[in-house]
Amino acid sequence: MSTPDPVPSSDFIRNIVEDDNRSGKYGGRVVTRFPPEPNGYLHIGHAKSICLNFGLAAEHAGGICHLRFDDTNPAREDVEYVDSIMEDVRWLGWDWGGHLYYASDYFEQLFDYAVQLIKEGKAYVCDLRAQEMREYRGTLTEPGRDSPHRERSIEENMDLFQQMRDGEFEDGARVLRAKIDMASPNVNLRDPVLYRILNTEHHRTGAQWCIYPTYDFAHGQSDSIEKITHSVCTLEFEDHRPLYDWFLDELDVYHPQQIEFARLNISYTTLSKRRLRELVEEGYVTGWNDPRMPTLSGLRRRGYTPLSIRNFCDRVGVAKRNSIVDLALLEHSVREDLNQTSPRVMAVLKPLRVVIDNYPEEQTQEFEAVNNPEDPSMGSRKVPFSRVIYVEQDDFREDPPRRFYRLSPGREVRLRYACYITCVSVVKDETTGEVVELHCTYDPESLGGSSPDGRRVQATLHWVSAAHSVDAEVRLYEHLFATAEPGSGEDDDADYKSDLNPDSLTVLTSCKVEPSLAEAAPGSRYQFERQGYFCVDTVDSTNGNLVFNRTVPLRDSWARIEQAGKQG
RNA sequence: UGGGGAUUAGUAUAGUGGUAGUACGCCUGACUCUGGCUCAGGUGGCAGAGGUUCGAGUCCUCUAUCCCCAGCCA
């Protein structure tokens, strides 16, 4: 098992595992599992669970974490999801070794367990239809009533259950139920369903079965079969635990310990599988791997690194309190990693043409540019310079506000790695008044980026030589939702879609990037100096048509100053 | 009095009877050929009320608020 930089941390689950190890409860074994249902793509909430379970195993000598697909509902599951889940877990950096399992591997064993319960008079076949069963179940405050089939003989139950397996009945005709207590205050204990009839082919067992165990009947026993020590799951299963305990005790089999923790929530997005599916199926995004999606495939395409996600998961902690983590923490985690590892390049997103009047028309020269100031081993490259360049529209203001240090008429700034320029005139579109071109002069003494007289400039701009630039498309992403807690308004969940951020994607098509990016490989990550981290899109980018995704912008203190000014 | 959970700075978490920490965020400042990074400083918290104790975030009682459960989903 690989152990990607386990960050030592402490939480109540790790404390429990430590205590169990000290007391020898499981003989020093630590065996966990990540148990997804293959009915959708993994998202960053799953990453929290993956890092917890695989991390727990990695932190202990001999620890093991299984990958087990909880594939008990063939109607919703598919190999497409199995494949994507394995890819995503591996991408995150975890390795289940030989411990790949499927609940469907245990169908025969589970059937035997059911038979055992029937023989002991602890389970029965019930003919009630779903609607009737609901009526018999009672409510949260009123006890349920016993099914009329509750007292069938063991022989009759055995016979009926075998007929269920043999395909004698249509979907929904009968179920196998545990005989527990219809008056239990815990509704999970009111004779829950163990097996239902589903005449549906399973993605792994084919047409072998027409009855399938429910999650409740399969999960705990699967953990037991795999000799899991600590079965970590989310809070909503807390009041299922008495049911799982009942099965394990009545079956008299190995008993893992279930521990529940709060699932991850992040502001300005959603980690509801149902909602994510709707966004995909109804076309609000382009797919499960849309870079705006919090899925692992979306984050990957967006440019997030596995390490940044693992670090994020370490930082959010593990507890039982429902909470919403600030998206800023995720963004911090990815900036932290990318700052160390990304080569810097210059790219102009919204080009403004600049003519340097005193620079010879046919001349070109190259300047040495550092690839990564955080990592000298990444070396340097040459960047071509000529008379006509592009700078960022946002880096020029004809009428500069207070604390705006960038270019404006008469002001001198530095072109990164190149020279000082001073703006001498502005060309505007006659009809719109829009600034379309700047004329500047450069100081030949400042070539290389500093002047012998030691005078300072207040700003350094990124730029691209017009003649040498490469065209690119850049996709700017913002929060998927415009509100921190989508769907939390009056109508509650009813219309979380109205909280979608209409500006979550901005496509810029006339960007100019430095020539070194011409051959940039899909998936490669860069810092566009002064702007943010970007990666070459793995789906739409081609040799002649570069497409970049913005992973996350750089922190921008000027934007904050400007924003504060606007608010008064 | 249906059952099960939870409550510590803006956010997320540590603290298991002895000075309430950390991270992110935010605010200052230093540095800087990225208004990035880094560094220094600052901001700000135990849901409430009683009780036990020399001493309570921690133990007890009560209250309040929030979350989950009535699928043949997981």
Side-chain angles (χ1 to χ4, degrees):
Chain A
M1 159 162 324
S2 72
T3 61
D5 326 301
V7 175
S9 52
S10 176
D11 55 66
F12 80 101
I13 294 181
R14 275 174 243 257
N15 291 343
I16 290 172
V17 174
E18 282 312 308
D19 289 347
D20 290 346
N21 271 359
R22 251 193 302 280
S23 71
K25 182 173 177 184
Y26 296 103
R29 296 163 51 239
V30 175
V31 184
T32 57
R33 100 267 95 115
F34 172 61
E37 184 192 16
N39 72 339
Y41 281 69
L42 258 28
H43 55 63
I44 193 165
H46 295 109
K48 175 179 177 181
S49 174
I50 291 167
C51 291
L52 213 206
N53 280 295
F54 279 92
L56 237 22
E59 289 156 22
H60 293 87
I64 297 171
C65 182
H66 299 179
L67 174 62
R68 182 179 71 239
F69 289 98
D70 265 337
D71 52 353
T72 56
N73 186 352
R76 320 196 325 169
E77 297 155 7
D78 195 277
V79 285
E80 173 196 357
Y81 301 122
V82 171
D83 294 342
S84 76
I85 288 168
M86 292 198 287
E87 179 187 2
D88 288 345
V89 173
R90 274 196 218 101
W91 177 72
L92 264 188
W94 302 104
D95 182 1
W96 52 88
H99 300 281
L100 173 64
Y101 305 106
Y102 296 81
S104 53
D105 289 341
Y106 311 137
F107 281 172
E108 199 62 51
Q109 172 72 262
L110 260 6
F111 181 84
D112 290 343
Y113 282 149
V115 167
Q116 182 181 340
L117 291 178
I118 293 171
K119 285 181 173 166
E120 292 173 8
K122 293 164 184 167
Y124 62 98
V125 172
C126 180
D127 305 354
L128 254 25
R129 292 297 175 142
Q131 174 59 30
E132 298 172 297
M133 199 178 296
R134 195 170 306 130
E135 289 158 7
Y136 274 79
R137 190 156 32 232
T139 69
L140 293 178
T141 54
E142 299 163 302
R145 288 140 48 217
D146 286 358
S147 160
H149 315 107
R150 200 172 198 261
E151 299 305 330
R152 284 216 252 241
S153 69
I154 290 172
E155 293 65 33
E156 187 180 4
N157 281 321
M158 284 295 294
D159 184 46
L160 253 17
F161 189 45
Q162 186 60 45
Q163 287 186 51
M164 282 171 62
R165 178 176 184 168
D166 292 342
E168 304 290 332
F169 312 117
E170 79 271 26
D171 285 5
R174 289 180 221 265
V175 294
L176 182 73
R177 303 175 70 178
K179 190 192 284 191
I180 305 180
D181 178 8
M182 289 305 293
S184 173
N186 181 345
V187 294
N188 295 123
L189 264 22
R190 318 242 261 230
D191 289 11
V193 171
L194 273 39
Y195 268 89
R196 74 281 216 196
I197 299 170
L198 252 30
N199 287 288
T200 303
E201 290 206 9
H202 186 280
H203 60 99
R204 297 196 81 238
T205 60
Q208 197 180 336
W209 294 87
C210 60
I211 58 172
Y212 292 93
T214 56
Y215 171 86
D216 277 347
F217 189 63
H219 192 84
Q221 279 81 280
S222 298
D223 283 343
S224 174
I225 291 166
E226 294 178 15
K227 295 287 187 289
I228 299 299
T229 55
H230 303 272
S231 173
V232 178
C233 64
T234 45
L235 252 28
E236 67 268 28
F237 295 106
E238 206 150 19
D239 48 20
H240 291 235
R241 177 154 34 92
L243 173 60
Y244 303 158
D245 289 343
W246 188 89
F247 287 139
L248 266 14
D249 291 345
E250 298 302 326
L251 257 11
D252 194 26
V253 293
Y254 172 84
H255 199 147
Q257 176 182 4
Q258 173 169 307
I259 309 169
E260 307 85 6
F261 72 99
R263 63 177 346 128
L264 176 67
N265 296 290
I266 302 179
S267 56
Y268 297 101
T269 188
T270 183
L271 296 181
S272 152
K273 224 184 212 182
R274 195 203 89 233
R275 288 179 176 180
L276 293 175
R277 177 188 304 282
E278 284 177 13
L279 295 180
V280 171
E281 290 178 351
E282 295 168 24
Y284 291 94
V285 294
T286 59
W288 288 99
N289 67 345
D290 186 300
R292 292 167 292 182
M293 293 281 276
T295 50
L296 294 181
S297 52
L299 291 166
R300 176 166 60 232
R301 185 172 168 196
R302 171 94 167 237
Y304 274 75
T305 59
L307 180 61
S308 70
I309 292 173
R310 273 187 267 122
N311 285 343
F312 170 75
C313 290
D314 286 332
R315 288 189 175 111
V316 300
V318 180
K320 298 194 72 157
R321 182 188 338 176
N322 283 311
S323 58
I324 302 175
V325 173
D326 196 334
L327 218 210
L329 185 61
L330 213 212
E331 296 185 332
H332 170 263
S333 297
V334 74
R335 283 193 193 104
E336 173 189 57
D337 187 18
L338 262 16
N339 178 49
Q340 297 300 318
T341 57
S342 299
R344 265 103 246 232
V345 294
M346 293 197 283
V348 177
L349 270 29
K350 296 174 185 165
L352 173 60
R353 194 178 140 93
V354 174
V355 178
I356 300 168
D357 293 333
N358 61 339
Y359 193 88
E361 205 141 336
E362 296 307 321
Q363 187 172 322
T364 289
Q365 64 184 298
E366 288 183 322
F367 294 107
E368 197 78 15
V370 173
N371 286 333
N372 188 346
E374 305 292 327
D375 182 1
S377 75
M378 291 175 73
S380 62
R381 68 189 184 287
K382 299 239 192 289
V383 183
F385 179 78
S386 61
R387 186 171 197 261
V388 179
I389 62 171
Y390 293 110
V391 301
E392 208 68 55
Q393 286 173 21
D394 290 345
D395 284 339
F396 173 80
R397 288 290 185 84
E398 189 172 21
D399 185 18
R402 204 172 68 86
R403 299 181 72 180
F404 180 89
Y405 302 145
R406 281 108 96 145
L407 245 203
S408 61
R411 188 181 287 174
E412 182 176 53
V413 299
R414 171 167 42 229
L415 295 178
R416 182 116 158 118
Y417 298 121
C419 60
Y420 292 180
I421 57 169
T422 303
C423 176
V424 293
S425 67
V426 176
V427 179
K428 295 182 185 177
D429 182 296
E430 283 182 12
T431 52
T432 64
E434 182 193 0
V435 176
V436 294
E437 185 177 288
L438 263 27
H439 283 263
C440 296
T441 55
Y442 85 109
D443 174 5
E445 295 289 303
S446 69
L447 251 23
S450 58
S451 70
D453 63 10
R455 73 177 187 278
R456 317 270 266 181
V457 289
Q458 289 222 82
T460 299
L461 309 189
H462 61 278
W463 53 274
V464 172
S465 166
H468 307 270
S469 69
V470 174
D471 291 339
E473 172 181 328
V474 172
R475 299 173 181 173
L476 304 180
Y477 301 103
E478 296 191 16
H479 303 163
L480 218 206
F481 288 90
T483 56
E485 281 182 74
S488 64
E490 294 291 301
D491 315 327
D492 205 31
D493 184 64
D495 208 8
Y496 68 94
K497 287 174 203 150
S498 65
D499 292 333
L500 279 164
N501 178 8
D503 302 319
S504 61
L505 169 62
T506 301
V507 179
L508 267 22
T509 52
S510 49
C511 310
K512 304 288 186 182
V513 304
E514 66 169 67
S516 72
L517 286 172
E519 306 290 309
S524 52
R525 305 179 179 94
Y526 299 91
Q527 184 197 100
F528 286 2
E529 292 221 31
R530 304 208 305 131
Q531 305 197 91
Y533 297 97
F534 295 74
C535 72
V536 181
D537 189 67
T538 50
V539 176
D540 297 328
S541 193
T542 60
N543 254 345
N545 182 31
L546 275 175
V547 178
F548 289 92
N549 295 316
R550 183 173 68 189
T551 308
V552 65
L554 250 27
R555 294 184 68 211
D556 185 350
S557 55
W558 163 244
R560 279 203 296 272
I561 291 166
E562 200 177 27
Q563 191 60 32
K566 278 179 188 163
Q567 288 170 353

